[in-house]
């Protein structure tokens, strides 16, 4: 039996949108993932404003968004920890929960470009395989430039590959994947809500309803 492959997609999810789901769907297929865990980060209450919804609301929206996707799940691992979320801590915990699985940390290129600012980022790169996905407005190739030299030979440009087979997955591989990314961001969604503009087609319907019912992101 080949190892079970699990994708982790972390984010503020403020709110979750169709761009996140599109990325997860494409990666789940290409890498034959058994599951993708969506992990909203904990943001301490003193940082909450109308700009950042409460952890419970962000988690509730992620749960609504993954309904109907058999391989997607919401994970409350960071929110339950009630402390600033660091990827290294989360990866350690997920590794303990899924001991025999191969973990793939899915990240948009915009977030990956800042990897050097992550806590213990070298350790993060050693603990987990990475899948860096494209996003409108960012160059996927830039991802190669931000890494220290010793990590560059771990990069596999998976743009030409169809499904990614066992043989392409070495330990600590960093895959670059050009997905059909949607030009959607949570920032833009929040801006539209503040201005009273519709967000139809940007988030799942159930998430739109949740935002309306709870009057999130309105000033
Ligand atoms: P914000 O504008 O508030 O930063 P966001 O849309 O960037 O929100 P995040 O919660 O910050 O959403 O993103 C979580 C992860 O999903 C990050 O790795 C990010 O790069 C990735 N991501 C977000 N939107 C897209 C998208 N449209 N296409 C591909 N990846 C995305
Ligand atoms: Mg972001």
């Amino acid at each position: 039996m080949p190892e079970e492959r699990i994708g982790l997609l972390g984010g503020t999810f403020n709110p979750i949108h169709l761009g996140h789901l599109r990325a997860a769907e494409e990666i789940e297929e290409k890498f034959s993932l058994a599951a993708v865990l969506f992990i909203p980060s904990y943001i301490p209450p003193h940082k909450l404003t109308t700009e950042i919804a409460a952890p419970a609301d962000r988690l509730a929206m992620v749960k609504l968004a993954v309904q109907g996707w058999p391989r997607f799940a919401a994970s409350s691992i960071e929110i339950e920890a009630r402390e600033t979320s660091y990827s290294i801590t989360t990866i350690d915990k997920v590794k303990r929960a899924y001991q025999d699985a191969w973990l793939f940390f899915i990240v948009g290129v915009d977030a990956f470009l800042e990897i050097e600012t992550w806590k213990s980022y070298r350790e993060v790169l050693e603990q987990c395989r990475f899948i860096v996905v494209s996003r409108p407005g960012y160059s996927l190739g830039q991802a190669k430039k931000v890494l220290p030299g010793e990590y560059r030979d771990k990069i596999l440009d998976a743009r030409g590959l169809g499904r990614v087979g066992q043989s392409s997955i070495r330990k600590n591989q960093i895959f670059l994947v050009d997905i059909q990314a949607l030009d959607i961001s949570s920032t833009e969604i929040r801006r539209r809500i503040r201005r009273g503009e519709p967000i139809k087609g940007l988030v799942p319907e159930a998430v739109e309803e949740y935002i309306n019912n709870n009057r999130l992101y309105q000033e």
Side-chain angles (χ1 to χ4, degrees):
M1 266 266 289
E3 263 82 5
E4 195 169 56
R5 305 176 183 179
I6 303 217
L8 312 182
L9 179 58
T12 315
F13 297 118
N14 184 41
I16 189 167
H17 54 67
L18 295 183
H20 297 125
L21 292 165
R22 178 84 268 271
E25 181 186 20
E26 207 169 311
I27 296 307
E28 181 244 296
E29 245 179 66
K30 191 175 177 95
F31 287 81
S32 311
L33 302 182
V36 178
L37 305 183
F38 289 68
I39 313 177
S41 56
Y42 179 71
I43 295 176
H46 64 264
K47 286 197 182 162
L48 300 182
T49 63
T50 50
E51 266 289 279
I52 306 179
D57 285 324
R58 290 181 288 110
L59 178 61
M61 291 188 283
V62 171
K63 285 184 174 165
L64 290 170
V66 299
Q67 270 177 17
W69 294 88
R71 294 182 198 277
F72 293 177
S75 165
S76 55
I77 189 169
E78 292 192 352
I79 282 178
E80 275 170 12
R82 301 199 172 278
E83 58 186 24
T84 306
S85 313
Y86 296 111
S87 300
I88 189 66
T89 316
T90 303
I91 289 168
D92 282 347
K93 286 184 189 166
V94 176
K95 273 199 160 172
R96 267 180 269 137
Y98 296 90
Q99 299 206 348
D100 297 324
W102 282 7
L103 301 186
F104 293 81
F105 204 81
I106 305 167
V107 63
V109 61
D110 60 307
F112 190 78
L113 291 180
E114 291 172 2
I115 189 151
E116 282 172 306
T117 68
W118 298 10
K119 185 180 175 214
S120 317
Y121 80 95
R122 284 168 189 268
E123 214 184 313
V124 174
L125 286 167
E126 266 145 36
Q127 289 296 319
C128 204
R129 295 174 183 80
F130 266 75
I131 301 173
V132 184
V133 300
S134 55
R135 192 168 180 184
Y138 297 88
S139 144
L140 196 55
Q142 280 294 112
K144 296 181 187 168
K145 301 194 182 137
V146 296
L147 285 174
E150 71 263 34
Y151 292 106
R152 293 206 188 145
D153 62 352
K154 293 187 189 293
I155 294 179
L156 182 71
D157 204 324
R159 280 179 266 199
L161 303 175
R163 272 183 190 253
V164 179
Q166 212 75 352
S167 60
S168 339
I169 304 181
R170 273 186 290 136
K171 199 171 176 282
N172 312 332
Q173 189 73 267
I174 300 166
F175 299 91
L176 304 185
V177 184
D178 206 359
I179 60 166
Q180 280 189 12
L182 302 178
D183 193 3
I184 301 176
S185 71
S186 304
T187 302
E188 173 63 13
I189 290 167
R190 295 192 301 271
R191 184 182 302 137
R192 293 181 70 89
I193 295 168
R194 275 201 308 277
R195 293 184 183 154
E197 293 167 8
I199 56 166
K200 198 163 281 306
L202 302 179
V203 298
E205 270 175 40
V207 171
E208 188 183 348
E209 268 171 40
Y210 188 95
I211 290 173
N212 290 338
N213 293 342
N214 294 278
R215 300 179 181 284
L216 301 182
Y217 310 119
Q218 304 177 357
E219 276 174 320

